[in-house]
Amino acid sequence: MQSPLRSANAPEGPGAGLTLILAVVLGLVLLLSQTLFIVPAGSVAVITTLGRVTGVPRTPGANFKAPLVQATSLFDVRTQVRPEQFSTLTKDLQVIQATATVKYAVKPGEAGRIYETIATDDQQIYPRVIQPSLLKALKSVFSQYELVTIATEWNSISELVQEKVAEELRKFDYVSVQSLDLTGLQIAEEYRAAIEQKQIAEQQLLRAQTEVLIAEQEAKRYQTLNSSLDDQVLYKLFLDKWDGQTSVVPALPGTAGGAGTPVIVNGRR
């Protein structure tokens, strides 16, 4: 006689076996999803074990982790482009406004240290790492120059800012700066007019200096030529230009008449 308790709690037959198989498969799928993860191209993954960074950052492709106790955080290591509008004071206490566009990339090997010390995701890297160093470098460089110098030497100062930003970020060594462009300089209109007048004056001065230099070179050339001319050279130059019709020809240098008595050719006097 079959026990009622067994028939109620332990069903038999093909359905019971299928249920067990499905439960095992589902358990394996869940375990695999907690073990296998994919790192996309252009990213690295930081592995934490119970909240602590473990090992080196994982590279793109299929990777494994311990289920339940390990977690992953992705960091984008591709080049990022961020424009930053800023205003700052010059050496002569004038306000300028411009846009600094910085191109940077997270160093893949430093992702774990970034996670531990300053940022746990991509969105925190720029405001916590790049922006403070950028603004500090901008203020440091522009405070050394007067407004007129900044306006006329904009490209050179842009290079100085890039070097300063790279120097600031090297103190932490989290990211690499690939380039920095300064654009859209805005200054007061009255100072812009003064700068234009200064540029015109400098161009006029340069033109005058160039003309003086050319005149000095011409004078030296004529002086050298004059010092090299003697009676023999002058006589040769005259004969080269003589058309054969001139009645009076200078006396041949070195002759008795070379002191200035001319030779009469076809003379009619």
Side-chain angles (χ1 to χ4, degrees), residues 125-247:
I125 292 178
Y126 181 79
R128 294 187 179 183
V129 179
I130 306 297
Q131 191 179 45
S133 296
L134 175 61
L135 295 178
K136 180 180 179 181
L138 290 167
K139 293 180 180 180
S140 174
V141 172
F142 284 117
S143 64
Q144 301 178 36
Y145 298 94
E146 295 182 352
L147 179 58
V148 64
T149 304
I150 293 172
T152 55
E153 301 181 14
W154 185 245
N155 292 335
S156 299
I157 292 178
S158 298
E159 294 177 359
L160 291 177
V161 173
Q162 179 175 343
E163 293 174 1
K164 189 66 176 178
V165 172
E167 178 184 339
E168 288 292 329
L169 291 175
R170 277 196 296 269
K171 296 177 181 178
F172 308 100
D173 205 31
Y174 294 128
V175 300
S176 60
V177 177
Q178 299 173 357
S179 69
L180 186 142
D181 298 321
L182 295 179
T183 56
L185 176 64
Q186 298 180 18
I187 58 179
E189 189 61 34
E190 59 268 25
Y191 289 101
R192 186 178 299 276
I195 291 170
E196 291 176 353
Q197 291 298 322
K198 183 176 183 295
Q199 289 177 323
I200 293 173
E202 289 176 347
Q203 291 174 355
Q204 292 175 343
L205 177 61
L206 180 61
R207 186 181 300 112
Q209 291 173 340
T210 303
E211 292 174 352
V212 170
L213 180 60
I214 292 174
E216 290 176 347
Q217 291 175 344
E218 286 292 322
K220 290 180 180 179
R221 188 172 69 86
Y222 282 116
Q223 183 180 3
T224 302
L225 178 62
N226 185 57
S227 63
S228 66
L229 293 177
D230 55 18
D231 291 343
Q232 294 285 348
V233 174
L234 291 173
Y235 191 76
K236 176 64 168 58
L237 292 174
F238 177 84
L239 291 180
D240 289 341
K241 299 295 183 180
W242 186 45
D243 59 4
Q245 302 298 322
T246 304
S247 297

Side-chain angles (χ1 to χ4, degrees), residues 35-74:
T35 304
L36 177 68
F37 67 98
I38 305 297
V39 178
S43 301
V44 294
V46 174
I47 303 297
T48 56
T49 303
L50 299 177
R52 184 177 181 179
V53 174
T54 305
V56 298
R58 304 294 179 85
T59 56
N63 290 268
F64 294 91
K65 63 181 180 66
L68 302 179
V69 297
Q70 288 188 324
T72 62
S73 296
L74 294 178

